[in-house]
Amino acid sequence: MNKKLQQIVIFLGAPGSGKGTLSRLCEDRLGWKQLSTGDLCRHHIEHGTQLGKEIDLCIKSGKLVADSLIIEMVVQWLEEHAREYQTVILDGFPRTRVQAESFLNLTKTAFPDVALKVYQLIVPDQEIIERISTRVVCSNSNCQAIYSERKLGADWDDKRCVRCESSLIKRSDDAPEKIAVRLDNYYQHVKNLLDVYKEANIEIISIAASGSSERVFQAVNDHERMDA
Ligand code: AMP
């Protein structure tokens, strides 16, 4: 509870580029804390909050939720939790120029001494589509661990989450027609995001993130050691 927040790490990448899996590895092995706006949105929907009702349709169709709602969610989370961790990962946020600019303004005032860096995960579209179409997740909205049908086998729906024993499901926005919408969103905004970070002199580390999550984690870990 009394740790001081020292760095915020932004994981930037298309849906299915491995941000969630990498975040879990960094949580388990480096003691970092993931803030995933997608997980937060799904949590609100499952608990039927007012916000959950407002964003439900948007999420199911693969569209982006309004900037103002997402920013409010992130600010609230950071106010409540940021000081419990030394490093916070932002997974899936910022996703638009407006979000990035608001977030940088917020950090200037609320966390002036906190270091910021961006890891950009690069994965070819074909691999992304294959990963998302075989993705399976834990149904417990407090867990949302990520699995792959390829590793679990055809009887994946008989299996349970190794973290919390809940059942496994497919995300409704992982359906093929929604993947295209979500990839379009990413490519539409990524250049603007990179421009905002470059203008703010934030370090951007690009990682070729095809293949094993272990190798991607090692690339992040090596970079962190160099920075230490
Ligand atoms: P994700 O789990 O990151 O793939 O996000 C799932 C969905 O949540 C997205 O397709 C959006 O509908 C919504 N979402 C998550 N993060 C954001 C964000 N930063 N801005 C807008 N919508 C978001």
Side-chain angles (χ1 to χ4, degrees), residues 15 19 36-39 41-42 58-59 62-67 70 91-96 99 135 171 173 182 185:
K19 304 183 295 295
S36 156
T37 43
D39 285 357
C41 288
R42 287 183 287 276
C58 231
I59 304 255
K63 291 184 191 151
L64 290 183
V65 172
D67 288 329
I70 291 285
D91 164 2
F93 176 87
R95 257 192 168 78
T96 63
Q99 291 179 19
R135 175 157 67 184
R171 275 173 50 175
D173 60 345
R182 292 166 61 211
N185 284 337

Side-chain angles (χ1 to χ4, degrees), residues 50-163:
Q50 185 51 40
L51 184 60
K53 286 177 192 147
E54 284 176 51
I55 62 181
D56 192 21
L57 272 182
C58 231
I59 304 255
K60 284 189 180 135
S61 62
K63 291 184 191 151
L64 290 183
V65 172
D67 288 329
S68 56
L69 295 179
I70 291 285
I71 292 166
E72 190 187 320
M73 219 186 263
V74 171
V75 169
Q76 192 188 344
W77 190 95
L78 288 172
E79 279 170 356
E80 286 172 14
H81 302 287
R83 285 175 183 81
E84 296 165 30
Y85 307 98
Q86 284 181 356
T87 298
V88 167
I89 303 163
L90 296 181
D91 164 2
F93 176 87
R95 257 192 168 78
T96 63
R97 177 186 274 277
V98 170
Q99 291 179 19
E101 287 172 345
S102 309
F103 174 70
L104 293 186
N105 283 334
L106 168 87
T107 50
K108 255 187 232 156
T109 47
F111 307 107
D113 302 324
V114 169
L116 284 176
K117 71 165 69 113
V118 176
Y119 283 103
Q120 186 183 16
L121 307 187
I122 317 271
V123 180
D125 281 359
Q126 213 181 339
E127 187 173 338
I128 290 214
I129 291 164
E130 143 78 7
R131 282 188 193 179
I132 300 185
S133 47
T134 54
R135 175 157 67 184
V136 171
V137 295
C138 172
S139 60
N140 172 0
S141 71
N142 289 318
C143 175
Q144 303 194 40
I146 303 161
Y147 299 91
S148 167
E149 257 183 87
R150 280 171 305 166
K151 290 196 182 138
L152 293 173
D155 59 344
W156 63 267
D157 47 351
D158 291 334
K159 298 190 173 157
R160 316 291 292 182
C161 175
V162 292
R163 287 178 173 254

Side-chain angles (χ1 to χ4, degrees), residues 153-218:
D155 59 344
W156 63 267
D157 47 351
D158 291 334
K159 298 190 173 157
R160 316 291 292 182
C161 175
V162 292
R163 287 178 173 254
C164 72
E165 289 287 309
S166 301
S167 58
L168 303 179
I169 53 168
K170 289 243 174 203
R171 275 173 50 175
S172 60
D173 60 345
D174 280 350
E177 67 281 11
K178 317 281 171 59
I179 300 175
V181 177
R182 292 166 61 211
L183 273 176
D184 275 358
N185 284 337
Y186 176 72
Y187 290 118
Q188 193 189 324
H189 293 286
V190 65
K191 187 180 173 304
N192 284 338
L193 292 173
L194 290 169
D195 285 347
V196 173
Y197 301 140
K198 282 178 199 152
E199 279 158 28
N201 281 323
I202 294 173
E203 185 185 14
I204 301 167
I205 306 112
S206 286
I207 297 194
S210 286
S212 100
S213 49
E214 187 60 42
R215 201 186 50 73
V216 179
F217 170 77
Q218 286 311 332

Side-chain angles (χ1 to χ4, degrees), residues 1-6 30-33 81-87:
M1 265 308 211
N2 51 9
K3 283 183 193 163
K4 191 175 180 311
L5 182 64
Q6 290 177 356
L30 303 177
W32 293 5
K33 179 67 185 174
H81 302 287
R83 285 175 183 81
E84 296 165 30
Y85 307 98
Q86 284 181 356
T87 298

